[in-house]
Amino acid sequence: AQSVTQLGSHVSVSEGALVLLRCNYSSSVPPYLFWYVQYPNQGLQLLLKYTTGATLVKGINGFEAEFKKSETSFHLTKPSAHMSDAAEYFCAVGGNNRLAFGKGNQVVVIP
Amino acid sequence: GAGVSQTPSNKVTEKGKYVELRCDPISGHTALYWYRQSLGQGPEFLIYFQGTGAADDSGLPNDRFFAVRPEGSVSTLKIQRTERGDSAVYLCASSLTGTGGDEQFFGPGTRLTVL
């Protein structure tokens, strides 16, 4: 079975500071990895995904993530937080006909 | 273009009643998924359709839950004899082919409240 661990349900970050959300996965096969964002009262939106190839993946809104097989990690970063980044972020591992999601990180941006 | 749509956006029902939740996927997407998201949790897989057939229904919690996709497009999730524990947001997603690396496009969800 595939699974994802996201620690720290609530993350507070100052405007302009680094955003770092951690994701560790478990998968018995080479994983497909995703980060989704959920803004209030909206559906899940894909930020970025890793399938094969380059391990540093760039996504929308200035986010990027690096696949590290040796650490079974796919951490999400953004160099400088904006107020508009306040949302819930979910890491997911794909395969076997489904996505397995972590519990999510609620990001609060402090002005 | 049109994304995934779900109706109703909110549904309030009484314990023991039957409910149907509808999903309209993106046109041309062969794969359709249902997930359930409880408060404070990530979405949990319920069922996957490839075309008209349920290719994987291993996430359905019990036999009160059933889903159909008779013409390979619109899908309906049906819940019989609803229980308070069924209260959650039900999410539908579709993808072009259903392969593991495909992006799944999500609808806004149906918030189900069982009183």
Side-chain angles (χ1 to χ4, degrees):
Chain A
Q2 297 175 306
S3 66
V4 160
T5 301
Q6 289 181 254
L7 297 177
S9 60
H10 284 75
V11 176
S12 293
V13 59
S14 297
E15 190 176 14
L18 171 72
V19 180
L20 170 61
L21 302 180
R22 299 180 186 274
C23 171
N24 288 90
Y25 69 90
S26 172
S27 177
S28 58
V29 297
Y32 301 109
L33 294 162
F34 304 79
W35 275 98
Y36 279 85
V37 61
Q38 189 171 33
Y39 297 103
N41 301 315
Q42 295 186 28
L44 289 160
Q45 178 183 2
L46 183 70
L47 273 179
L48 48 79
K49 69 175 182 179
Y50 169 79
T51 53
T52 60
T55 56
L56 182 62
V57 180
K58 294 187 184 298
I60 62 171
N61 301 338
F63 285 92
E64 64 182 35
E66 186 170 12
F67 169 61
K68 292 187 177 181
K69 184 178 179 180
S70 61
E71 298 177 8
T72 60
S73 70
F74 191 56
H75 301 333
L76 181 72
T77 60
K78 181 174 179 177
S80 177
H82 294 169
M83 296 301 295
S84 59
D85 295 327
E88 190 152 23
Y89 293 80
F90 293 94
C91 182
V93 59
N96 297 330
N97 305 322
R98 67 187 70 184
L99 291 175
F101 286 86
K103 291 187 175 183
N105 294 119
Q106 184 69 50
V107 171
V108 174
V109 181
I110 302 167
Chain B
V4 177
S5 62
Q6 293 185 245
T7 54
S9 55
N10 281 282
K11 176 69 177 178
V12 181
T13 191
E14 293 180 342
K15 180 175 178 292
K17 299 290 188 182
Y18 168 83
V19 296
E20 290 189 350
L21 312 179
R22 176 188 168 105
C23 172
D24 258 290
I26 293 172
S27 178
H29 281 193
T30 63
L32 185 145
Y33 310 79
W34 284 97
Y35 294 84
R36 178 168 71 173
Q37 187 174 17
S38 300
L39 198 62
Q41 303 294 319
E44 292 178 303
F45 170 80
L46 295 177
I47 188 169
Y48 158 63
F49 286 90
Q50 182 56 252
T52 61
D56 183 352
D57 64 358
S58 61
L60 294 177
N62 52 60
D63 61 6
R64 295 186 298 105
F65 289 75
F66 189 71
V68 295
R69 194 186 185 198
E71 297 178 357
S73 55
V74 170
S75 176
T76 305
L77 178 66
K78 308 180 180 193
I79 311 174
Q80 298 178 320
R81 304 183 305 279
T82 52
E83 300 178 356
R84 293 195 179 87
D86 299 335
S87 296
V89 176
Y90 289 80
L91 299 171
C92 177
S94 69
S95 72
L96 189 60
T97 64
T99 54
D102 249 8
E103 176 181 356
Q104 293 186 22
F105 294 82
F106 284 81
T110 294
R111 182 175 299 278
L112 175 66
T113 303
V114 182
L115 301 176

